[in-house]
Amino acid sequence: DARWVNQSGALFKITYDGRWLLETNQTYSAIENKGTIRKEESTGTLLMQALVDNSGNIELESGTWQLDGPVENKGSILAASDTTLHISKTYLDQPLAVIATEGHLWFSGTTESSSIQGNFEGGATTTLECKEIQFLPSSTLIALGERVLIQKGKVVLNSGETIQMLNLTLTDQGRVTGSDSIEISNQFLWDTGTQLAGDKTHISQTFTEWYASSHPDEPRILLEGSLINKGNLLWSQGNT
């Protein structure tokens, strides 16, 4: 299998919104990064269909970077504000690894499972719609994101942290479980056909709406734990 290596101390700078494609019926080629790979200047989408083995630095400074192949992160992946980091296959990291974004972080592999052991810091928005993503006890979950959308999969929160966010939307058969508490300071939108579980207390400080959108005939489920409403609760549609 083909392997492209960016050595320690080397800089691979990308100013082009190109495509690193996987040929039909072939295994993934591999990008082994020990130095720095940086996307800058270009404001469109860079697509990489390759296995990414990162022990150096991956830096997104402009536009969108879609990693459409398995990612193993032993170094750091950093994304600036007003960017989108899109991980559409499996993401695995090591305890000292870092993934930190200021813009939009999007996990979209609906048939893929990912796990976080290292440092994780979401920024302005985080979308989690992969089959399953686990935050393991070894992880340092600094922030899941200010505005979080969970759909089409399962999020397991076992970081040992209290997860604080501005807004949470739980929709389209999204499920949340684990031992971490969640505190939502502004708005919690809870759709039908979803599940909020775990053995901790979850708090909505300001506004909660129970609504029906993607699966109106299925109930929303609170399984174990407690949900505390400290503000306004609107039950507009759907069964609970």
Side-chain angles (χ1 to χ4, degrees):
D1 297 336
R3 176 172 289 266
W4 181 87
V5 180
N6 194 45
Q7 285 286 18
S8 177
L11 171 63
F12 176 24
K13 184 164 66 172
I14 304 169
T15 60
Y16 172 65
D17 294 320
R19 298 183 296 168
W20 187 308
L21 295 179
L22 171 69
E23 291 192 17
T24 304
N25 299 322
Q26 299 294 317
T27 57
Y28 289 104
S29 60
I31 298 173
E32 184 177 354
N33 179 47
K34 302 176 182 180
T36 298
I37 303 178
R38 180 185 302 141
K39 180 185 185 299
E40 61 181 31
E41 298 181 17
S42 59
T43 57
T45 298
L46 169 66
L47 173 66
M48 281 189 169
Q49 289 182 315
L51 186 156
V52 175
D53 181 357
N54 178 53
S55 57
N57 302 308
I58 291 176
E59 301 172 358
L60 172 59
E61 297 189 354
S62 64
T64 297
W65 193 339
Q66 182 177 355
L67 295 170
D68 192 34
V71 177
E72 183 173 356
N73 183 28
K74 300 184 283 285
S76 66
I77 300 177
L78 308 175
S81 60
D82 299 319
T83 64
T84 296
L85 176 61
H86 183 185
I87 298 174
S88 49
K89 293 294 187 290
T90 299
Y91 174 87
L92 303 173
D93 70 1
Q94 299 297 319
L96 296 179
V98 174
I99 181 168
T101 65
E102 296 179 9
H104 182 203
L105 177 58
W106 180 13
F107 286 84
S108 70
T110 55
T111 61
E112 310 288 341
S113 297
S114 297
S115 65
I116 309 294
Q117 299 185 73
N119 295 277
F120 184 100
E121 185 172 6
T125 59
T126 301
T127 300
L128 302 175
E129 57 177 348
C130 47
K131 178 181 177 182
E132 180 174 292
I133 182 167
Q134 295 193 50
F135 292 83
L136 301 177
S138 62
S139 66
T140 300
L141 181 48
I142 299 169
L144 197 56
E146 291 184 10
R147 295 169 177 83
V148 179
L149 170 63
I150 297 173
Q151 60 185 7
K152 298 179 182 177
K154 182 179 181 182
V155 178
V156 183
L157 298 171
N158 285 323
S159 70
E161 309 285 347
T162 295
I163 313 303
Q164 297 179 330
M165 62 189 70
L166 187 66
N167 294 343
L168 172 62
T169 300
L170 184 58
T171 186
D172 200 5
Q173 296 187 319
R175 292 174 291 159
V176 180
T177 187
S179 60
D180 295 345
S181 295
I182 300 173
E183 292 186 5
I184 307 152
S185 61
N186 184 51
Q187 179 175 271
F188 177 28
L189 300 179
W190 192 4
D191 196 0
T192 49
T194 61
Q195 185 179 104
L196 181 62
D199 58 1
K200 292 292 186 177
T201 299
H202 307 301
I203 298 172
S204 180
Q205 297 279 4
T206 305
F207 177 74
T208 302
E209 181 177 357
W210 296 351
Y211 73 110
S213 174
S214 55
H215 299 271
D217 296 328
E218 300 177 14
R220 64 186 67 81
I221 298 173
L222 177 65
L223 184 64
E224 302 177 318
S226 302
L227 175 61
I228 298 176
N229 173 46
K230 290 190 174 182
N232 296 318
L233 170 61
L234 171 62
W235 185 357
S236 61
Q237 290 177 305
N239 295 322
T240 300

